Amino acid sequence: MNKNGSAFGWVQKFAFAFGFVVSAPLVGWAQGVTDLAIRVTATSFQVGIPGRYVITVVNSGAAPTEGEIGVIADLAPGLAFHSSAGTWQCGPSENGALCTTSASIRAGQSSTFSFTVSVAREAIPRASSVFRLRYGPDLRPTNNTSVKTTSVRPSRRPMPTFTSSPTFPPNRPTWTPTRTLSPTISPTPSITRTPTPTATPIPATTNLSLSKAVSGRFVVGTNGTYILTVSNLGPNATNLPVVVTDTLPSGLSFVAATGTGWSCRGTGSSVECVYSDPLPVGTTTTITLTVGVGSGAYPTVTNVATLSYPADPDQSNNFVRRPTSVRR
């Protein structure tokens, strides 16, 4: 054993400095005691991210430890105990954190543990925490304190809040950490419902016919009228829309189109009318089409109209051409 680095070497230097005689009983006592020292390391901290302290307790004495060893951490403002790792038992205390162990540390050996702290904005720009080692039979208490200063960087991340409530029984320091966390409530996910498709009815087969007649005279500068008639020749009533399209020739312009059950609109030279109600067998329905007669229609024009129904087996009677005489 190196006497200069041992408890005996320390006693020998002390005795020499003060003129004491190192007797045999004193040598035996020095060779049977422990000398603990504390070392603390940490990297830089960032607000919102737990920081980590690593604590090492070294036994440079001549005998192993017996009984409980404690480390009290007086944490800097803005730091709060979070969690620990290692064989030591750690928890929050009145000023920061308290860690203890009853495991023996042999002479020349060390014991290392760590704990993390939450970092708040109050710790910016640096945090200085004091770590104090407590062991009754320690020969030299001057190396039982360590001050660790750590730089602290800001962060935009929100910092969780931890509330601790320590308790200390008479013989053994213990703690009961209480952590209060704000619950995160996930928003209720929106449910997209797929609409139930509407069943398309099977077209009822039936024979429709289209006819067109002129009502009154067509005179340049006045309105003329066509009557379009749709007839259901059977054998079934319609169950899908019936569409009539009238294409106006040059010289005629759309004015209006009406009919019971019909919905009509005119776009340019095209007029479209839709009949959505069922049309029974043997019945007819009419459209009154009013057009403006221009000079370009003189002396005659031919108006063409078509009928469309998905289940019409005979489309030869779905097309009509109507020559029309025009007077001045």
Side-chain angles (χ1 to χ4, degrees):
M1 178 177 63
N2 183 0
K3 293 184 178 181
N4 291 328
S6 65
F8 172 78
W10 184 84
V11 171
Q12 189 178 42
K13 291 179 181 179
F14 181 83
F16 177 79
F18 290 92
F20 296 151
V21 177
V22 182
S23 62
L26 183 59
V27 171
W29 172 82
Q31 292 178 344
V33 298
T34 57
D35 181 16
L36 300 184
I38 185 171
R39 301 171 185 170
V40 181
T41 60
T43 58
S44 61
F45 294 164
Q46 183 174 355
V47 174
I49 300 177
R52 182 168 177 259
Y53 285 112
V54 179
I55 300 96
T56 301
V57 177
V58 181
N59 184 0
S60 58
T65 61
E66 296 180 359
E68 190 172 74
I69 307 170
V71 172
I72 301 173
D74 296 330
L75 298 178
L79 303 184
F81 177 81
H82 185 202
S83 62
S84 63
T87 58
W88 289 59
Q89 296 180 348
C90 297
S93 67
E94 293 178 340
N95 297 323
L98 174 64
C99 300
T100 62
T101 184
S102 296
S104 177
I105 304 177
R106 296 181 180 181
Q109 302 295 319
S110 63
S111 177
T112 300
F113 64 95
S114 66
F115 66 82
T116 58
V117 293
S118 60
V119 184
R121 289 189 296 270
E122 291 77 9
I124 298 174
R126 62 184 57 86
S128 296
S129 298
V130 180
F131 296 81
R132 292 173 290 156
L133 177 64
R134 290 291 180 265
Y135 180 64
D138 195 355
L139 174 65
R140 186 172 40 159
T142 56
N143 56 358
N144 291 359
T145 301
S146 176
V147 179
K148 185 61 182 177
T149 301
T150 307
S151 61
V152 181
R153 304 189 309 273
S155 174
R156 295 182 180 179
R157 296 177 55 184
M159 184 63 193
T161 302
F162 300 95
T163 303
S164 60
S165 177
T167 58
F168 301 94
N171 297 326
R172 178 184 178 88
T174 59
W175 47 89
T176 304
T178 301
R179 182 182 302 175
T180 302
L181 295 177
S182 300
T184 301
I185 302 176
S186 300
T188 303
S190 59
I191 300 175
T192 303
R193 299 184 182 275
T194 303
T196 303
T198 303
T200 302
I202 299 175
T205 302
T206 193
N207 183 14
L208 301 182
S209 67
L210 176 65
S211 62
K212 177 186 288 189
V214 176
S215 176
R217 297 179 178 181
F218 275 55
V219 179
V220 174
T222 64
N223 291 337
T225 302
Y226 289 108
I227 304 297
L228 293 89
T229 302
V230 177
S231 302
N232 187 352
L233 306 180
N236 299 300
T238 61
N239 64 348
L240 290 176
V242 178
V243 180
V244 172
T245 303
D246 192 300
T247 303
L248 300 177
S250 177
L252 299 183
S253 60
F254 174 74
V255 175
T258 60
T260 302
W262 289 91
S263 175
C264 300
R265 65 176 182 176
T267 304
S269 61
S270 178
V271 180
E272 182 182 85
C273 295
V274 179
Y275 187 86
S276 299
D277 296 334
L279 183 62
V281 177
T283 62
T284 61
T285 178
T286 60
I287 302 169
T288 301
L289 173 60
T290 304
V291 296
V293 182
S295 59
Y298 178 82
T300 183
V301 290
T302 299
N303 191 1
V304 178
T306 58
L307 179 149
S308 175
Y309 179 70
D312 192 340
D314 182 8
Q315 298 186 10
S316 62
N317 53 2
N318 293 358
F319 177 83
V320 62
R321 297 170 60 92
R322 181 63 183 179
T324 307
S325 298
V326 179
R327 298 182 180 183
R328 289 186 182 271

